[in-house]
Amino acid sequence: MKADYQDLVDEISALLGAPATLENRDFGLIAFGAHDSDDDTAMDPVRTRSILTRKSTPAVRAWFEGFGITRATGPVRIPAAPDAGVLRDRICLPVRHRGVVLGYVWLLDADPGPSAGRLTAAMEVAERIGALLADEERADADLSRELRAVLTAEGGWQYDMAVTALRTALGRDAEGLHALLCVAPWPGPGTPSVRTAPGVAALCTVPWPARTARDPHPGGTGAGGAGAEAGGAGAGAGGPGAPRAGTAAATAGRAPAGPGAAGRGLAGPGAAPPGGAAHGLAALVRLRSAEAPAPALTAATRLRDAAGGGAPPGAPPTAVWAAGGAGAVPGAGHPAGTVVGVADPRRGVGDLAQAWREAASAARAALAQPRLGPVAPWASIGPYRLLTALPPAPPHDRAVRALLTPAHTELARTAEVFLDNAGQAGRTAAALGIHRQTLYYRLSRVENLTGLDLDNGEDRLLLHMALKTARM
């Protein structure tokens, strides 16, 4: 398919006597002609960025769209704008199929420029490109449907049928080595093209959890610690399209929620904007070797960039008290940006349900603990492999409720760093930047507040798990 696009771009370049570039409607680069001119202005900043990064900035996109290219049915001439990095006039050939714009062919314009006849011939080639893009979009949509069916199917025969349909749709790729990614949160229900990242075999969006408001009372499951989560008792509804109980999507990163969980969405850190449903993106990426995960990591970076990378509007607060900052409490702090969880590689597609649980759990862990991200392989999240598998919204032990209130933020942070450092006072004091005597004083206050003995292994385990779980 890529060779077909390149051939058609080269055909337009030859027709018009100028190097052409082809971008999709989101201004993602698909193919470009050879640039062998000695003229430095043939590669202005906008064209250079498009070729090197395979995309254009939102500002560049908005500027070009201001000339009506999304509505045009014929060539559009666009004047140079040196202040915007556009050093040469351009000709835009809209690529349409059945009236829908699917992309654009770009050429540098010159005086007197191509004749009307040559431009007409070039538009005929652009129509052939449009047919190819339309075919590709249909294929992407089919694979999105099949992958989503696997991730949202009930167990048993329904899951087996969904896997069979996906295997058929993937063809020879089905039995190859793959890694499944979870990009969360994803901005909206739309699924991007598989061309967004190299090596991607299939993409689909799935519902992602929306976090409920926290109970302000220390005795409840609120700001003091145990955050009520979608999927837990009393959690908010996941909205239309939420996965059914027992599906890979519904149980991702958690133990099965049991009867009554249908429609409540996934459990864990949410990203729903106020009043709207949240989404995650699943991506099935081809690998050549389990020991060479580079294609999965490259795809993860590209997809995260496509999602915006930074903190989206309405992103949930992340527990950041271990990162410092006055007033930081478990479950409250700076919003987490988009992260990507990466499942262990698997051959074939029969075990995608477990792969999705791994990928979603890794994403949840990276949202809860930013140091694990922004790209978090399942193998790297340590104890969060177990913590993300706990039942939805587990009640916090009464011994730690008081510690997890905003009034005791510094004590909670001190206790977690102490336990993270295996109880070694010297390393803990250095990590916190405090004197040992200050550390001992704080730890004694933790013991008095919780009733736990930090010299007792089981009490340490309880406290450590409670602090980590509060991040989820």
Side-chain angles (χ1 to χ4, degrees):
M1 185 74 78
K2 184 176 181 181
D4 294 336
Y5 290 127
Q6 188 63 58
D7 289 344
L8 292 172
V9 167
D10 289 343
E11 186 175 342
I12 291 177
S13 296
L15 270 171
L16 302 182
T21 59
L22 170 64
E23 295 179 333
N24 62 26
R25 61 182 156 206
D26 296 322
F27 282 59
L29 184 68
I30 297 174
F32 59 92
H35 290 67
D36 56 4
S37 172
D38 293 330
D39 184 357
D40 291 340
T41 63
M43 287 296 291
D44 60 21
V46 168
R47 176 164 281 203
T48 299
R49 176 185 173 86
S50 173
I51 291 175
L52 293 181
T53 67
R54 307 193 71 80
K55 62 182 179 181
S56 295
T57 65
V60 167
R61 175 177 176 175
W63 191 80
F64 280 122
E65 288 179 343
F67 289 90
I69 61 174
T70 60
R71 302 181 300 277
T73 57
V76 178
R77 281 191 155 90
I78 299 173
D83 291 345
V86 182
L87 305 183
R88 292 276 299 273
D89 296 351
R90 277 169 167 71
I91 297 176
C92 175
L93 308 180
V95 176
R96 309 182 79 90
H97 182 74
R98 295 183 177 177
V100 178
V101 65
L102 300 177
Y104 308 98
V105 175
W106 299 94
L107 302 106
L108 299 179
D109 199 4
D111 191 23
S115 67
R118 288 185 177 274
L119 286 174
T120 299
M123 283 300 298
E124 291 175 357
V125 179
E127 288 180 11
R128 288 151 56 194
I129 295 175
L132 282 178
L133 287 172
D135 288 343
E136 185 175 343
E137 282 203 351
R138 281 192 292 271
D140 285 358
D142 290 344
L143 286 173
S144 293
R145 182 179 63 245
E146 308 299 353
L147 180 58
R148 187 181 295 108
V150 171
L151 300 183
T152 59
E154 302 284 357
W157 65 269
Q158 291 181 337
Y159 177 77
D160 292 341
M161 286 185 64
V163 168
T164 298
L166 178 62
R167 186 178 289 120
T168 300
L170 287 171
R172 289 181 300 177
D173 280 349
E175 299 310 317
L177 193 67
H178 298 92
L180 190 61
L181 314 183
C182 173
V183 186
W186 182 258
T191 301
S193 167
V194 293
R195 301 185 68 90
T196 304
V200 172
L203 293 164
C204 74
T205 53
V206 294
W208 190 252
R211 200 167 197 144
T212 62
R214 290 176 178 268
D215 185 345
H217 303 293
T221 57
E229 299 173 351
R244 297 182 300 278
T247 66
T251 60
R254 288 286 193 188
R264 291 199 304 245
L266 306 177
H279 300 87
L281 180 77
L284 190 64
V285 181
R286 306 178 192 91
L287 298 178
R288 291 185 178 180
S289 166
E291 287 71 42
L297 301 181
T298 299
T301 301
R302 292 278 181 87
L303 291 169
R304 182 172 180 269
D305 288 345
T318 301
V320 291
W321 76 93
V329 297
H334 67 273
T338 298
V339 300
V340 186
V342 184
D344 283 344
R346 285 171 169 78
R347 190 166 295 280
V349 295
D351 199 23
L352 283 184
Q354 178 59 31
W356 178 245
R357 280 187 281 270
E358 292 178 4
S361 293
R364 289 184 55 232
L367 286 168
Q369 181 64 279
R371 66 176 175 78
L372 296 174
V375 177
W378 161 256
S380 74
I381 64 173
Y384 286 95
R385 293 200 294 266
L386 297 177
L387 292 173
T388 54
L390 292 173
H396 281 269
D397 190 279
R398 61 183 180 181
V400 298
R401 284 179 187 163
L403 179 64
L404 295 176
T405 60
H408 299 298
T409 295
E410 201 61 53
L411 292 183
R413 178 173 178 243
T414 298
E416 187 182 25
V417 175
F418 175 71
L419 295 168
D420 285 346
N421 283 283
Q424 296 189 27
R427 285 168 52 187
T428 303
L432 293 171
I434 60 176
H435 193 275
R436 279 199 186 203
Q437 291 303 318
T438 303
L439 172 64
Y440 294 143
Y441 170 71
R442 290 184 185 178
L443 293 178
S444 68
R445 289 191 61 199
V446 169
E447 289 184 321
N448 291 335
L449 195 63
T450 62
L452 300 175
D453 180 2
L454 294 183
D455 288 328
N456 180 282
E458 290 189 352
D459 282 2
R460 282 194 187 190
L461 178 62
L462 172 61
L463 180 57
H464 210 180
M465 288 184 64
L467 291 169
K468 295 299 185 187
T469 303
R471 292 181 175 277
M472 303 307 297

